[in-house]
Amino acid sequence: CLEGMAAGPSLEARTGIRGEMIELNSNVWDVQAYYIAQAAVQATLMYRPQVIVFGGGVMGQEHMLNRVREKFHSLLNDYMPFYFTTDVNSSAYGETLVRKGITSLVYYTIGTGIGAGAIQHGEFVGGCGHTEAGHTYVATHPHDVATEFTGVCPFHRGCLEGMAAGPSLEARTGI
C-alpha cells in the first residue's frame, strides 16, 4: 500500500537512516517520489482536482515536490498540467481567500516541526515549495541560555524549529 511504500518509516526501512538524515542526492528520494506520484495520478484520474496538496515529513523535504511533479508528468506522459504545493502554502492561500483584501501573509504551522507558507501579492513565495522558515535562527531565551539548551534540530543549533517545535518541549521536560 502507499503508506507502507512511501511514508517516512519506509525511508528508514530502505536505508537504515532516518529520513531527515538521508543525503539529498540519494536515489531513495526518487523511489519515494515515484510512489507519491502514483497517488497523485490516482487522485487525478478519480477526482480531477485542480490542486493536490501534500503534507507530512517526507513532503516537507524541499526537493520532494519537484521530484514528485517530474514523476507525475512522466507517469501521465505530460497529459495534463498540474500544480503541486505544500500543506502550509495551501493554508496560507486559504487564509487569503477568507480574509478579503489580504494579498500578502505568512502562515505558520507548529507541531513536530515548524513550517511557513508565504503569499506575497497573491503569489506563493518560494514557487512550489516553501521557505523553510522553521530553520531560521532565533534569539535564545534567557532560560535556555542558563540551562545551555540549544535545541533539538539535527542540522543546526538555535533554529526556530529546534527551539520551539513539539520535540523541544519533550527534550526540556523529559515527558
Side-chain angles (χ1 to χ4, degrees):
C1 70
L2 180 64
E3 185 167 341
M5 299 304 283
S10 69
L11 282 169
E12 190 168 351
R14 280 190 184 92
T15 65
I17 304 170
R18 289 182 47 90
E20 61 269 11
M21 304 305 286
I22 298 172
E23 297 289 329
L24 294 179
N25 62 355
S26 172
N27 69 344
V28 73
W29 293 116
D30 288 324
V31 173
Q32 295 296 103
Y34 174 78
Y35 289 117
I36 295 166
Q38 286 187 56
V41 166
Q42 290 175 11
T44 300
L45 296 176
M46 287 190 293
Y47 306 114
R48 290 188 49 211
Q50 292 177 314
V51 175
I52 294 179
V53 177
F54 290 106
V58 170
M59 291 308 297
Q61 299 282 330
E62 186 70 25
H63 60 95
M64 283 300 291
L65 283 171
N66 285 332
R67 289 175 192 254
V68 170
R69 182 186 298 111
E70 289 170 10
K71 301 289 185 201
F72 174 85
H73 283 289
S74 174
L75 288 167
L76 284 180
N77 201 22
D78 290 324
Y79 177 64
M80 49 191 335
F82 214 79
Y83 191 83
F84 287 95
T85 192
T86 62
D87 53 348
V88 290
N89 273 348
S90 293
S91 296
Y93 182 69
E95 289 294 325
T96 66
L97 296 178
V98 299
R99 298 175 188 275
K100 303 297 183 206
I102 301 295
T103 60
S104 298
L105 64 81
V106 176
Y107 179 96
Y108 280 95
T109 180
I110 302 168
T112 56
I114 294 181
I119 305 290
Q120 190 170 44
H121 306 295
E123 299 290 328
F124 291 117
V125 173
C128 67
H130 57 88
T131 60
E132 289 297 336
H135 293 290
T136 57
Y137 287 98
V138 292
T140 306
H141 187 278
H143 180 267
D144 288 336
V145 171
T147 60
E148 298 181 1
F149 182 75
T150 58
V152 296
C153 177
F155 303 108
H156 24 63
R157 299 292 175 210
C159 71
L160 178 61
E161 186 169 305
M163 300 302 281
S168 71
L169 295 173
E170 182 180 354
R172 283 188 182 91
T173 63
I175 53 173

